[in-house]
Amino acid sequence: MNILLTAAGSHGDVAPYTGLGTRLRAAGHQVTLATHDSHAPLVRAAGLGFRSLPGDPGATPAPGADRDAPGTPTTRRALMRRAATFVAHLGTGLADAVTPDTELLLLSTTTAPLGWHVAEALDIPTVGAYLVPTAPTRAFSPVLSGGRRLGGWGNRAAGRLSLRVVDRLHTDAARALRTRLGLSPATPGTVRRRTETANWPVLHGFSELVVPRPTDWRPGLDITGYWWPHLAPDAQLPPAVEDFLAAGPPPVSIGFGSMAAADAERLGCVAVRALRRAGLRGLLLSGNAGLTAAASPADDVLTVPTPVPHALLFPRVAAAVHHCGAGTSAAALRAGIPSVPVPFTADQPFWAARLAALGAATAALPVTTLTRAASPDDAVTRLAAALTEATTAPNLRTRARAAAHHLTTEDGPTTALNALTRLTP
């Protein structure tokens, strides 16, 4: 089949689809991934076709664009305004990216509410390919609820409310998109109810070890196992990282991926001081947070300015301090190393709680406990204690390794391929 995968967001929101896409391509399908231009090299390196989607989070804002000054609190209204603008542009991009010769459209969590309209207009079959659970359930509260426990009834009610919020956010974009596509008027809520009534199939690219399938989910919602990002056979760590790893005991990796920090200098300083107080070597993965040890260069800490594959780095470190994005959390489990969760926002508290429930992570340290502590020394004390626990507590290491062993028994891309074979003619 001619398959179009669609995904929007940061690196972690897109990279797993390269692993799924390469498995589909190996089975003989023609696979294209529609996403933002900043991810084009990632997509093409996996041997997949690429189509551009607007709203690139990695792009530099245009002069005069609506953005807050660094350190300025962002209001809920501002966030909703930005999200609505992103959704409107994304809808236009999806309409351009999906061509009539597409035989199967795979929709991510972000692209599904708009992709349903495009698929309806072009009469193309669709399947969900989600990296986070979104269906309401008594088992847990919505992933964007900050990890709060609301009880069975409360969890499910909050899940339904979260979907209504998503639908409301898409109202204007859906109206414009349906008009452009020549479709009769229908609200996002109406279209969602249609898909749910038809038991629209959704494949979830994470492990049941981490999120067991809720017993109250409807038919058609399946969990396949993780879709590991494509890694070139000849991929290597940078020479400076290799030299650092060889120069002493396994260090701790500290990095927050695509998350930006309002006070990167303070966060980097806290990280370095905490490492030294715990008597550990460290790798600072700069990422969007701009972490650096430049202010206090020494042989025990190395700043890594460019992205490195977690699949190569994590198996060689003692523990990982990270923001608990879905992909980074999975990579730490796959490597069998303990995590120190420092969630920033969105679904990160959810995954932090999941790692802790598995016994593979310390208690979460929300980023504000490090950047807004009463004094920098308070933040250093908290992080140093978590680092010591992560690198010395035998139960954390044992459970992390047990999780890694379990994940070797799963093959998410092949399970997804087999499911798609059953679901499509």
Side-chain angles (χ1 to χ4, degrees), residues 265-322:
E265 184 176 350
R266 170 169 171 159
L267 192 56
C269 181
V270 167
V272 172
R273 289 179 59 195
L275 284 166
R276 290 175 178 159
R277 186 171 296 184
L280 298 166
R281 304 168 71 230
L283 286 165
L284 295 190
L285 311 183
S286 289
N288 282 5
L291 294 182
T292 179
S296 53
D299 293 338
D300 60 341
V301 180
L302 176 69
T303 299
V304 184
T306 57
V308 294
H310 290 151
L312 296 181
L313 178 63
F314 279 5
R316 300 177 64 184
V317 301
V321 180
H322 57 89

Side-chain angles (χ1 to χ4, degrees), residues 71 92 105 112 135 154 171 177 201 213 317 319 350 419:
T92 300
L105 181 60
T171 297
L177 187 57
R213 187 184 188 281
V317 301
F350 174 85

Side-chain angles (χ1 to χ4, degrees), residues 31-355:
V31 183
T32 301
L33 177 51
T35 187
H36 311 301
D37 288 343
S38 63
H39 304 311
L42 177 77
V43 174
R44 292 183 173 125
L48 307 178
F50 171 78
R51 288 182 196 156
S52 178
L53 290 182
D56 192 338
T60 302
D66 179 21
R67 60 184 299 185
D68 292 328
T72 302
T74 301
T75 65
R76 182 180 298 273
R77 178 177 296 180
L79 286 173
M80 293 298 288
R81 184 171 64 250
R82 292 177 188 174
T85 300
F86 168 78
V87 165
H89 291 160
L90 185 60
T92 300
L94 276 173
D96 293 333
V98 183
T99 55
D101 62 344
T102 301
E103 295 172 284
L104 177 64
L105 181 60
L106 298 185
L107 299 170
S108 71
T109 312
T110 307
T111 60
L114 297 165
W116 292 329
H117 306 289
V118 178
E120 179 185 343
L122 297 178
D123 193 24
I124 298 172
T126 65
V127 173
Y130 286 9
L131 301 180
V132 296
T134 63
T137 174
R138 297 175 61 87
F140 47 80
S141 59
V143 296
L144 298 182
S145 66
R148 288 173 291 181
R149 299 179 181 180
L150 306 174
W153 181 89
N155 288 341
R156 192 167 178 86
R160 290 170 175 163
L161 176 61
S162 70
L163 293 182
R164 287 199 291 270
V165 171
V166 171
D167 291 340
R168 181 177 179 182
L169 178 66
H170 286 77
T171 297
D172 292 342
R175 183 187 302 115
L177 187 57
R178 293 184 72 84
T179 299
R180 170 182 169 175
L181 296 171
L183 296 173
S184 59
T187 67
T190 297
V191 174
R192 182 184 296 278
R193 286 189 290 274
R194 288 177 189 167
T195 64
E196 293 296 313
T197 301
N199 286 336
W200 183 61
V202 180
L203 306 177
H204 295 83
F206 47 77
S207 172
E208 283 208 64
L209 173 71
V210 183
V211 184
R213 187 184 188 281
T215 57
D216 59 350
W217 267 8
R218 65 164 174 80
L221 303 178
D222 296 317
I223 298 174
T224 69
Y226 285 111
W227 306 326
W228 304 114
H230 171 75
L231 183 66
D234 60 349
Q236 296 180 346
L237 293 172
V241 175
E242 286 285 1
D243 291 344
F244 185 81
L245 291 170
V252 171
S253 166
I254 301 180
F256 306 118
S258 61
M259 294 296 100
D263 194 346
E265 184 176 350
R266 170 169 171 159
L267 192 56
C269 181
V270 167
V272 172
R273 289 179 59 195
L275 284 166
R276 290 175 178 159
R277 186 171 296 184
L280 298 166
R281 304 168 71 230
L283 286 165
L284 295 190
L285 311 183
S286 289
N288 282 5
L291 294 182
T292 179
S296 53
D299 293 338
D300 60 341
V301 180
L302 176 69
T303 299
V304 184
T306 57
V308 294
H310 290 151
L312 296 181
L313 178 63
F314 279 5
R316 300 177 64 184
V317 301
V321 180
H322 57 89
H323 59 302
C324 265
T328 308
S329 300
L333 286 177
R334 188 187 193 189
I337 58 170
S339 291
V340 176
V342 182
F344 282 57
T345 186
D347 60 333
Q348 295 160 18
F350 174 85
W351 297 112
R354 290 286 153 171
L355 292 184

